[in-house]
Amino acid sequence: MTFTSTEAASGALKSLEGRVAIVTGGSRGIGGAISTALAADGAIVAVVGMPADRERTDTLRASLNGSAKLVHFFEGNVAEYDACVAATNAVIERFGRIDILVNNAGITKDHTARKMTIDEWNAVLGVNLSGPFFMIKSVLDHMLERGYGRIVNISSVVGHMGNFGQANYAAAKAGLLGLTKTLALETARSGITVNAVAPGFTATEMVKLMPQAAIDGAKSRTPVDRLGEPSEIARVVRFLVDENSGFITGSTYDVNGGMYM
Ligand code: NAP
């Protein structure tokens, strides 16, 4: 791929044509918007997800114009290291490379700490924190060998602020920021950037699971007075995975309507 110096100097986003991206849980919600944005700019997108994600990836694909053929499904539970290795190997086997990894898959299992079960703690830490580490570990040697990579971890405003009833989720999302900074340091000289995006409350299935009073409370604590849209998170991810964003690493981008500054 070659690009003109004018493009680089203007700071314009480069086409993602020829790039291969993994988006975990990339068939719906924020992940679906990220898959859509990357495919729209030419990337081949490998959605890595649970079995139910296969059908939803078909639905997502059907909604895309032009870029539908760029979106593919690979089964993989990110909480299992062997499954992450198998999925990333399958992507490399099929497309020859992985340039971009977006660790988006996440779950909630809310209870106050007193009532939270150990299973609920372990499940959320397993998907939301071990998952990104397992996926990064699975692609790292490949990216280091090629001297290029763009990794984005989807954290949360809750990782900064904490949230009533979400000890497991807040701990995982805060841990992801430490993981992001450490990986950024370890890969900075190898053409790889590692950043985090910390969304505020965003209109997806995950938020619909919350009681209405909690949704209203989140809105009222958001200065722009509304929930975010998945596409508003995706456009920041698109910016971070750009080839021209090579000087940005170890950062957290807050996209939260002013909820946390
Ligand atoms: P969502 O609609 O619930 O989607 C989450 C996706 O992750 C689903 O496709 C889900 O698939 C997948 N997933 C869950 N467990 C998985 C596993 N073990 N392996 C692979 N995939 C798995 O959630 P969302 O709201 O779009 O959230 C996306 C990310 O943004 C999450 O990391 C979330 O914590 C973060 N975030 C969301 C908000 C918000 O307000 N929505 C705010 C801040 C941060 P299945 O359903 O098939 O399991």
Side-chain angles (χ1 to χ4, degrees):
M1 242 184 306
T2 53
F3 298 97
T4 65
S5 55
T6 319
E7 244 180 322
S10 72
L13 295 181
K14 292 187 173 182
S15 165
L16 295 176
E17 213 168 303
R19 298 289 187 198
V20 176
I22 288 179
V23 183
T24 66
S27 70
R28 74 168 188 206
I30 292 171
I34 294 168
S35 298
T36 301
L38 303 192
D41 280 354
I44 293 170
V45 176
V47 172
V48 169
M50 304 293 277
D53 261 355
R54 183 183 296 278
E55 212 176 298
R56 286 203 301 259
T57 303
D58 289 341
T59 309
L60 175 75
R61 203 186 286 115
S63 74
L64 302 177
N65 292 324
S67 54
K69 63 181 188 313
L70 293 172
V71 179
H72 305 264
F73 180 77
F74 292 81
E75 193 174 315
N77 177 352
V78 300
E80 293 172 5
Y81 178 60
D82 290 350
C84 294
V85 172
T88 52
N89 284 347
V91 173
I92 293 170
E93 204 168 292
R94 177 124 174 234
F95 303 117
R97 58 197 285 167
I98 297 169
D99 302 284
I100 296 164
L101 167 64
V102 183
N103 282 311
N104 164 80
I107 60 169
T108 52
K109 289 191 185 293
D110 298 352
H111 270 135
T112 56
R114 274 185 68 218
K115 292 185 181 161
M116 186 174 288
T117 66
I118 301 304
D119 282 350
E120 287 168 340
W121 171 268
N122 285 336
V124 169
L125 270 288
V127 175
N128 296 11
L129 184 56
S130 297
F133 176 66
F134 293 163
M135 286 299 297
I136 290 171
K137 201 165 164 59
S138 301
V139 302
L140 198 53
D141 283 346
H142 173 78
M143 286 185 175
L144 287 170
E145 275 161 26
R146 295 185 53 244
Y148 186 85
R150 295 282 180 267
I151 298 173
V152 179
N153 296 319
I154 306 298
S155 177
S156 167
V157 67
V158 164
H160 293 305
M161 300 173 66
N163 198 27
F164 191 94
Q166 290 198 311
N168 48 4
Y169 185 80
K173 293 301 187 181
L176 203 44
L177 302 182
L179 177 68
T180 299
K181 291 174 191 180
T182 300
L183 260 297
L185 280 174
E186 291 180 3
T187 59
R189 288 169 182 260
S190 307
I192 300 170
T193 65
V194 189
N195 291 289
V197 173
F201 287 83
T202 307
T204 69
E205 296 297 319
M206 183 178 274
V207 163
K208 283 186 202 152
L209 286 176
M210 290 164 47
Q212 189 57 44
I215 298 176
D216 293 344
K219 260 170 70 177
S220 72
R221 285 183 288 137
T222 302
V224 302
D225 198 27
R226 64 173 175 84
L227 300 179
E229 290 299 323
S231 60
E232 294 178 295
I233 314 304
R235 64 201 299 272
V236 178
V237 175
R238 166 63 185 95
F239 166 71
L240 289 171
V241 303
D242 199 75
E243 196 182 324
N244 274 343
S245 297
F247 202 56
I248 306 171
T249 196
S251 295
T252 300
Y253 278 63
D254 294 316
V255 190
N256 61 30
M259 185 181 221
Y260 174 85
M261 303 181 190

